[in-house]
Amino acid sequence: NGIPSVTVPHPNIIFVQEFGNLPLLFHENPREVLVINSGAGGLLHELLKYPLNKVDYAELDPLIIEMLKKYPSDLTQGELGDSRVNLINLDGRFFVRTTSNAYDIVLLGLSNPSDLSANRFFTREFFSLVKPRLKAGGILAFCLPGSLTYLSSDLRDLNACILNALKKTYSYVRIIPGDYNMFLASDSPKILEPDPDLIFERITKRSIKTDILFPDYLRYRLNESWIKWFDKSSSGATSQINRDSAPFAVFEALVIWNKQFSQKLTHLFDFFKYTNVGCAGTVIFILTIVIFLLFRRKSWFVKFSVGYSIASSGFFAMLINLILIFSFQVYYGYLYHKIGILISIFMAGTALGSILMTRALPKIKDGLKLLLQCEITIILFTIVSAFILTSFMEGFPYIALLFAGLFFISGFLVGLEFPLAANIYLDKKSQIGQTAGSLYFLDLAGGWVGGVLGGIMFLPVLGLFNTCMLIVLFKLSSLLFLARGRILQDRCP
């Protein structure tokens, strides 16, 4: 994505020396450390200055390590060749969930929840996963974008929604404001005790050599006036809690990026920020009423209701795929390795649904009634999926089968509707080419709306559950149109 993961042979000295030392200096006697992502290239070097017993380094992408070994430097050779470093080619979150190890320090190498993949390391759920992996007095540390001159409302809210999640999980949180804000979280009050003098005393006692962590710099960096300034600048910040199912931080990161590089979209994103499912439901309700008033003729209304149903199914298909893919990535940590299989399962369901419906068409006497039943089934499936993905997924014993089933069923339901809708259209003396073109266009239009808005507004702002409810509202609107179309058809056969 164009964002540097490792900078060698000359790392960002200020960042690696602060982030690689301060969390350990806030701890009385660190012995075991877990680093999640971006450890090689400076951070591990700082950690290995300490008399640690073990450093577990979880790095999802093995190509990063292969690249560092192919183009070695003295820095990376020293890091990866140290016997205390245990390299783990696993997603950090998946490792935290499955390991029984406990650590004095957990360092998160990511510093910006700029996408859904990174966000899953800055949520309340992730912080809760880390908590039992910390020993008594253990510390979780990570950094977020910051500033010592001005916190814009978006930068303030980005930090606040993650800080809210952190405070919901840990008893004590210490913030070190700067051009990047360092967050230290623990259930031990000892995290609040160290001052600049104690930190430098520990540096001296542990014989740690650094280029910047001298008494005057520490007094500047840890000055209480910065905390007061940060608290004052954070006044009025959002009360949102960044979660797996409501990745609000992703939206804030996207807003910041657009204000830096695409200012024409600023007002649009400001509008999105205050959107909720009630507003979206109101828009759908008004749209439904307007259409009811405009399309009163039977011939137009029946065809329109079927076309609207297909558009809403395209919206459902795209958005439910995004929801399932997002949920899969949150749970497993990897996506591209499996995304081909997941989409193939969805398409297999679509193919089977289309084949079965096509074979059943000659026996169907009331196509609109059956289409109504399909719409009701999609609504029920979406509601059940919303509860499964937000409430029961973590404890489900066969999670891979669950995802496969949800992908297959969603595809199957969509596949059922297309042949049926085409058959209803053709009953109205439409031409085959015109029917296929119209329905395909409506499907793509619905999918386009779901795809574009799903990733940048619905999931980050509304959250996973409310996004599912938005699908339900859209489908309820479609259901009303089909019901009215069937009534008109019965009155005037």
Side-chain angles (χ1 to χ4, degrees):
N1 57 8
I3 300 174
S5 178
V6 179
T7 305
V8 289
H10 305 293
N12 183 337
I13 296 298
I14 295 177
F15 175 79
V16 298
Q17 291 205 4
E18 286 194 351
F19 190 54
N21 286 278
L22 288 179
L24 278 71
L25 293 168
F26 272 80
H27 193 282
E28 289 182 321
N29 187 29
R31 283 292 179 264
E32 296 190 342
V33 177
L34 170 63
V35 180
I36 299 175
N37 290 75
S38 304
L43 186 56
L44 289 177
H45 174 74
E46 295 300 320
L47 299 177
L48 294 172
K49 295 177 180 178
Y50 293 78
L52 302 176
N53 297 329
K54 181 177 67 172
V55 178
D56 283 344
Y57 173 30
E59 181 64 67
L60 174 61
D61 189 354
L63 293 180
I64 292 178
I65 306 303
E66 288 183 24
M67 182 274 294
L68 292 174
K69 291 180 177 179
K70 185 176 181 180
Y71 303 100
S73 66
D74 291 340
L75 176 65
T76 55
Q77 280 186 314
E79 291 175 326
L80 300 177
D82 195 294
S83 60
R84 292 173 292 173
V85 175
N86 176 35
L87 182 60
I88 302 165
N89 283 131
L90 272 180
D91 170 68
R93 176 161 170 161
F94 189 77
F95 174 74
V96 168
R97 178 189 288 114
T98 55
T99 187
S100 59
N101 297 342
Y103 301 94
D104 298 301
I105 306 290
V106 174
L107 296 179
L108 179 58
L110 300 170
S111 59
N112 194 350
S114 55
D115 52 45
L116 294 173
S117 176
N119 180 78
R120 46 195 289 282
F121 291 98
F122 297 91
T123 63
R124 183 177 180 181
E125 289 79 3
F126 175 71
F127 298 152
S128 297
L129 284 175
V130 172
K131 190 172 182 177
R133 302 279 71 82
L134 291 174
K135 296 180 181 180
I139 298 172
L140 166 66
F142 61 88
C143 296
L144 290 175
S147 173
L148 286 178
T149 55
Y150 172 69
L151 284 183
S152 68
S153 59
D154 306 302
L155 191 58
R156 176 198 66 192
D157 289 345
L158 172 64
N159 281 264
C161 69
I162 296 172
L163 178 59
N164 294 339
L166 203 60
K167 288 181 175 179
K168 288 288 185 180
T169 312
Y170 295 92
S171 302
Y172 303 95
V173 177
R174 184 156 179 173
I175 306 169
I176 304 176
D179 292 329
Y180 51 88
N181 298 320
M182 190 181 302
F183 292 81
L184 307 175
S186 177
D187 279 333
S188 171
K190 292 183 178 180
I191 198 175
L192 305 177
E193 295 175 1
D195 57 16
D197 294 332
L198 178 58
I199 293 295
F200 189 72
E201 179 184 326
R202 288 177 176 176
I203 290 175
T204 304
K205 185 177 180 180
R206 298 172 188 178
S207 301
I208 305 300
K209 295 181 180 180
T210 71
D211 298 312
I212 61 172
L213 300 182
F214 296 108
D216 288 342
Y217 182 81
L218 289 169
R219 292 189 187 97
Y220 167 79
R221 192 72 171 91
L222 303 178
N223 196 302
E224 290 186 4
S225 63
W226 290 126
I227 299 294
K228 295 178 181 178
W229 176 86
F230 181 84
D231 290 340
K232 183 178 180 180
S233 299
S234 299
S235 176
T238 181
S239 59
Q240 291 267 13
I241 297 174
N242 196 45
R243 307 197 62 163
D244 286 346
S245 58
F248 186 73
V250 175
F251 181 78
E252 289 296 344
L254 191 60
V255 170
I256 293 170
W257 189 93
N258 273 277
K259 287 187 175 180
Q260 289 176 329
F261 304 107
S262 184
Q263 296 184 6
K264 293 181 180 179
L265 297 176
T266 297
H267 296 299
L268 179 63
F269 278 90
D270 287 341
F271 171 77
F272 285 164
K273 185 174 182 177
Y274 297 101
T275 301
N276 55 50
V277 72
C279 295
T282 301
V283 171
I284 293 174
F285 175 77
I286 294 173
L287 178 65
T288 304
I289 297 300
V290 170
I291 292 173
F292 261 109
L293 296 175
L294 290 178
F295 296 94
R296 295 184 178 182
R297 290 174 52 195
K298 187 199 85 169
S299 59
W300 273 98
F301 199 89
V302 173
K303 291 184 69 173
F304 175 84
S305 64
V306 174
Y308 187 92
S309 172
I310 292 300
S312 66
S313 291
F315 180 84
F316 159 78
M318 180 61 71
L319 207 46
I320 201 69
N321 265 276
L322 286 176
I323 289 169
L324 291 174
I325 288 170
F326 166 57
S327 300
F328 182 92
Q329 188 176 40
V330 165
Y331 189 86
Y332 282 105
Y334 55 84
L335 174 63
Y336 301 110
H337 180 58
K338 298 290 187 181
I339 193 169
I341 297 174
L342 298 176
I343 298 301
S344 296
I345 293 173
F346 174 83
M347 296 304 295
T350 303
L352 181 60
S354 298
I355 291 170
L356 293 179
M357 181 59 72
T358 301
R359 291 180 177 178
L361 286 177
K363 301 177 183 179
I364 296 173
K365 297 180 180 180
D366 191 342
L368 277 176
K369 180 180 178 180
L370 185 56
L371 190 56
L372 271 166
Q373 293 171 346
C374 290
E375 292 288 279
I376 293 172
T377 306
I378 289 177
I379 290 171
L380 294 175
F381 170 80
T382 305
I383 294 173
V384 171
S385 298
F387 280 101
I388 289 174
L389 296 174
T390 57
S391 303
F392 307 110
M393 186 176 68
E394 195 68 40
F396 196 82
Y398 303 104
I399 194 71
L401 292 178
L402 173 65
F403 277 109
L406 293 175
F407 271 100
F408 183 83
I409 294 170
S410 60
F412 181 80
L413 294 175
V414 172
L416 288 175
E417 290 201 347
F418 281 87
L420 185 57
N423 191 55
I424 297 171
Y425 249 65
L426 290 171
D427 280 347
K428 304 303 172 186
K429 299 180 181 180
S430 298
Q431 296 179 356
I432 293 178
Q434 180 184 3
T435 297
S438 299
L439 293 180
Y440 190 49
F441 164 76
L442 291 169
D443 168 53
L444 292 179
W448 179 82
V449 173
V452 171
L453 296 182
I456 64 174
M457 184 180 75
F458 295 150
L459 279 171
V461 178
L462 300 182
L464 191 152
F465 186 87
N466 284 336
T467 299
C468 288
M469 294 305 103
L470 182 62
I471 296 174
V472 170
L473 291 174
F474 199 0
K475 275 298 180 184
L476 284 173
S477 173
S478 172
L479 194 66
L480 290 173
F481 289 142
L482 288 172
R484 178 171 172 78
R486 187 167 182 270
I487 292 172
L488 291 173
Q489 188 180 58
D490 290 341
R491 287 179 181 174
C492 306

